[in-house]
Amino acid sequence: MRMIVLAFAIVAGVKVYTQDRLYRAAMGEALVQAYRERAQQVCVKELARTTRTVPPAGTWAASSSAAEVVIGNPNASVAIWDFDNPLWEVRFRHPHLILSGPGVRGVTCAYDLKVGFASLSGR
């Protein structure tokens, strides 16, 4: 009887894990498709503003760059216990679309989906 209960528990755990992975993959892909073009535009403007040069054509283009959705901007330097910091929600709660690729030597762009702001790293 214990073996049957253990087998059902393992099957239930695998089912929940598989559903979670499929849901996250589908939602991530939907967010990338919905926001990639706008994120690319804002990131190119931010790159032009910070470097004061015209970025190369096709910077972070869909065909050449990798995109992923993450929760929180990994570039914001905020400690997890610093709740009073105004950037705490940006660091730990806002969804970000991270664009990276060969177009701009090692520069990645984190586009905040909630606010519509882009930040660059790796320059």
Side-chain angles (χ1 to χ4, degrees), residues 28-104:
E29 187 60 34
L31 286 171
V32 166
Q33 288 179 2
Y35 288 99
R36 181 180 214 136
E37 185 177 324
R38 177 67 182 144
Q40 179 186 2
Q41 293 169 356
V42 173
C43 289
V44 167
K45 285 180 184 178
E46 181 67 17
L47 183 64
R49 186 185 68 78
T50 57
T51 60
R52 305 213 189 283
T53 60
V54 177
T59 303
W60 293 302
S63 61
S64 64
S65 67
E68 67 176 327
V69 176
V70 297
I71 300 298
N73 186 350
N75 302 324
S77 60
V78 178
I80 195 165
W81 55 83
D82 191 10
F83 295 114
D84 295 330
N85 193 319
L87 293 177
W88 191 88
E89 287 203 2
V90 171
R91 172 61 179 99
F92 295 105
R93 296 191 72 185
H94 289 190
H96 284 79
L97 179 62
I98 308 292
L99 297 176
S100 60
V104 184

